[in-house]
Amino acid sequence: MQDPKEFMAKAQAQMESWTAEMGKMQSKMMEAGAKGQAEMAKQMDSLNEQRKHAEAQMEELGKANMEAAKEMQASVQKMWTDMEAQMKEMQKKMMG
């Protein structure tokens, strides 16, 4: 298991990177026509929900003791993998 503080620092950096990328995608979405905007808005909403969930898990992980942190780290890691896959898919669709 990775040190919880190190894991949290990496997770926070990744979250900031995704937030910035989501901002770029949102700008691109505004350039799309009405139909494109509607579809992209649904996908952005889903991505935002995942990000909020990730932030909540990170907050819990930050409060957890060492043993609980070990257990939670696997769950958080899976969530990160899922969110990363969705981010890549959105980037392909929205950024070309």
Side-chain angles (χ1 to χ4, degrees), residues 21-79:
E21 192 60 34
M22 288 171 70
K24 290 177 191 176
M25 286 188 278
Q26 188 126 22
S27 293
K28 195 76 162 173
M29 181 178 74
M30 299 311 285
E31 296 171 8
K35 183 179 179 186
Q37 282 184 359
E39 179 61 31
M40 290 178 189
K42 285 182 200 176
Q43 293 174 350
M44 286 296 292
D45 287 345
S46 174
L47 206 50
N48 275 318
E49 284 301 313
Q50 265 192 301
R51 184 182 53 81
K52 287 177 188 176
H53 181 69
E55 287 174 339
Q57 283 190 321
M58 285 175 48
E59 187 174 324
E60 274 192 50
L61 185 60
K63 293 176 186 176
N65 64 32
M66 187 62 116
E67 193 57 39
K70 287 178 184 178
E71 293 174 14
M72 290 180 66
Q73 195 170 6
S75 174
V76 170
Q77 192 65 47
K78 183 188 179 328
M79 179 270 315

Side-chain angles (χ1 to χ4, degrees), residues 6-31:
E6 183 180 319
F7 181 80
M8 287 295 291
K10 286 181 181 180
Q12 186 61 42
Q14 184 63 58
M15 183 67 71
E16 289 169 6
S17 173
W18 284 338
T19 298
E21 192 60 34
M22 288 171 70
K24 290 177 191 176
M25 286 188 278
Q26 188 126 22
S27 293
K28 195 76 162 173
M29 181 178 74
M30 299 311 285
E31 296 171 8

